[in-house]
Amino acid sequence: MTIKEICEKYDLTPDTLRYYERVGVIPEVNRTKGGIRDYTEEDEKWVENAVCMRSAGVPVEMLIEYVKLFQEGDGTFQARRDLLAEVRVEIQRQLDKYQDTMDRINYKISRYDEAIKTGVLSWDEENIKKK
């Protein structure tokens, strides 16, 4: 695949894709004899991984470390696993934060639904902070 096709498929700019390659977020991409990037299925998997991880807020530095460990071979299984476990903790924190926000929004909607029925907006004492 060409850089244009990959960019369209993953909604990236060519600059972002080149940056990911330059800093090591994705391994070096195969090139044609003329020097044009020619993304293989394996290259595309790395791009997909980078997009997924970045969308979850994983820092570029962690992705670079993961790729380095991968390239070092099977002796890095534990290190890669530990890195992913660290990422999981941070993503869980983010999910918990979003869940708290969702709970607050659901509570507010429920109070407004009740107010629409009764004409009176009221808040439960235990949820008074959530106004």
Side-chain angles (χ1 to χ4, degrees):
M1 291 181 87
T2 66
I3 193 168
K4 180 181 179 185
E5 291 168 326
I6 290 288
C7 288
E8 287 174 357
K9 183 171 184 176
Y10 293 100
D11 195 28
L12 296 169
T13 66
D15 286 341
T16 298
L17 203 47
R18 288 185 198 104
Y19 168 75
Y20 283 172
E21 185 181 352
R22 187 176 68 253
V23 299
V25 169
I26 60 174
E28 192 172 325
V29 174
N30 294 308
R31 292 178 182 257
T32 65
K33 289 179 182 178
I36 297 170
R37 287 173 176 82
D38 182 22
Y39 291 84
T40 64
E41 280 186 41
E42 187 67 22
D43 296 327
E44 186 177 352
K45 288 176 188 176
W46 280 109
V47 172
E48 186 175 357
N49 182 67
V51 169
C52 174
M53 295 294 184
R54 289 296 295 140
S55 71
V58 176
V60 167
E61 295 76 19
M62 281 185 135
L63 293 174
I64 293 167
E65 181 64 20
Y66 182 83
V67 171
K68 283 180 185 176
L69 290 168
F70 180 87
Q71 291 173 327
E72 289 175 19
D74 293 351
T76 64
F77 285 160
Q78 183 67 48
R80 284 185 266 168
R81 183 245 175 249
D82 293 347
L83 188 63
L84 290 173
E86 188 179 332
V87 166
R88 180 176 59 190
V89 167
E90 183 54 37
I91 290 173
Q92 187 61 57
R93 261 190 233 126
Q94 291 175 28
L95 285 171
D96 292 345
K97 183 176 90 175
Y98 282 122
Q99 187 60 57
D100 289 346
T101 301
M102 182 64 80
D103 292 345
R104 180 176 289 221
I105 289 170
N106 285 337
Y107 170 73
K108 287 183 171 202
I109 289 171
S110 74
R111 301 316 309 155
Y112 284 109
D113 285 346
E114 187 63 26
I116 291 166
K117 289 179 191 172
T118 65
V120 176
L121 179 61
S122 64
W123 305 101
D124 297 336
E125 280 300 314
E126 63 196 48
N127 291 308
I128 202 103
K129 307 180 277 191
K130 295 184 178 182
K131 287 188 199 175

